């Protein structure tokens, strides 16, 4: 990558996030009925909602299929939520076509091998600091936060500050 992340952040108009290991810490509690409970960081949620309210496109591409996760993200104002995406490049290509997006204007935050194909296509590949080595090696930005512990908030806030869209006065209530 020829530019530093500080030079790329101003041109970002689309943010794509994985869920497990990015918006969660990657741990699940498995109940006897097979239901899996995930924990999401409230500060990440606030930043996701702030980004949507500020006019950034925020999308989710996740291999997980938990409908509770979908409901949480919809309550934050996200509309492009792809769950059960095991070949994430397909959903990425769908987003490109649907919104006529340019890869250089897209930030993708992932943490594991299934994220690599998309990360290699976007202008701003990034990851939490506990991402696997292969993901860290291709990331232009590695958050100082772990997955599920504010890494999404970190990168969203930085992008929005550079773009003069972060003023700290966002309405955080659910719509």
């Amino acid at each position: 990558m020829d530019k530093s992340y500080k030079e790329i952040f101003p041109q970002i108009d689309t943010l794509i996030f994985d869920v497990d290991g990015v918006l969660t810490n990657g741990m699940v509690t498995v109940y006897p009925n097979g239901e899996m409970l995930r924990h999401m960081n409230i500060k990440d949620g606030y930043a996701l909602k702030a980004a949507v309210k500020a006019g950034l496109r925020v999308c989710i591409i996740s291999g997980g299929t938990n409908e509770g996760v979908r409901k949480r993200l919809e309550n934050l104002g996200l509309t492009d939520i792809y769950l059960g995406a095991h070949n994430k490049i397909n959903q990425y290509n769908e987003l490109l076509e649907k919104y006529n997006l340019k890869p250089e204007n897209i930030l993708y935050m992932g943490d594991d091998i299934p994220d690599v194909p998309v990360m290699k296509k976007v202008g701003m590949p990034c990851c939490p600091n506990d991402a696997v080595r292969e993901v860290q090696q291709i990331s232009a930005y590695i958050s100082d936060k772990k997955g599920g512990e504010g890494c999404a908030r970190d990168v969203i806030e930085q992008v929005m500050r550079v773009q003069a869209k972060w003023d700290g006065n966002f309405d955080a209530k659910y719509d």
Side-chain angles (χ1 to χ4, degrees):
M1 186 153 293
D2 297 335
K3 295 180 178 179
S4 81
Y5 68 90
K6 292 179 182 182
E7 295 173 291
I8 299 169
F9 282 167
Q11 66 192 31
I12 298 299
D13 63 17
T14 302
L15 308 166
I16 305 174
F17 295 93
D18 178 32
V19 173
D20 293 320
V22 174
L23 298 180
T24 76
N25 67 1
M27 304 290 285
V28 293
T29 301
V30 182
Y31 288 98
N33 67 359
E35 183 69 24
M36 292 186 280
L37 177 69
R38 292 161 171 84
H39 296 238
M40 299 177 93
N41 187 297
I42 201 77
K43 291 177 184 151
D44 285 343
Y46 180 82
L48 290 165
K49 187 168 185 72
V52 169
K53 292 245 181 208
L56 292 169
R57 183 172 293 103
V58 183
C59 311
I60 301 296
I61 303 177
S62 175
T65 58
N66 186 287
E67 287 302 312
V69 168
R70 180 187 307 278
K71 184 172 181 173
R72 163 79 173 140
L73 296 168
E74 286 174 346
N75 284 339
L76 295 172
L78 280 66
T79 56
D80 293 294
I81 303 167
Y82 297 92
L83 301 181
H86 299 293
N87 186 1
K88 296 180 180 192
I89 201 76
N90 294 332
Q91 288 75 22
Y92 169 74
N93 286 332
E94 185 178 320
L95 285 167
L96 286 180
E97 187 174 321
K98 181 178 180 180
Y99 295 110
N100 195 29
L101 301 176
K102 295 179 181 172
E104 61 268 21
N105 300 126
I106 300 173
L107 178 150
Y108 184 98
M109 182 173 258
D111 71 305
D112 208 348
I113 302 300
D115 300 305
V116 169
V118 176
M119 292 178 76
K120 287 182 174 180
K121 300 278 186 185
V122 301
M124 185 68 220
C126 55
C127 67
N129 74 3
D130 59 343
V132 299
R133 181 185 331 267
E134 294 87 347
V135 168
Q136 289 189 18
Q137 289 174 337
I138 63 169
S139 291
Y141 177 77
I142 300 174
S143 174
D144 65 341
K145 310 284 188 215
K146 291 181 179 180
E149 296 182 10
C151 64
R153 166 69 177 258
D154 171 40
V155 74
I156 291 169
E157 188 173 336
Q158 287 197 54
V159 167
M160 291 179 66
R161 283 187 186 279
V162 166
Q163 295 180 4
K165 294 179 179 178
W166 185 270
D167 67 7
N169 293 314
F170 300 103
D171 179 4
K173 74 177 175 94
Y174 288 135
D175 292 332

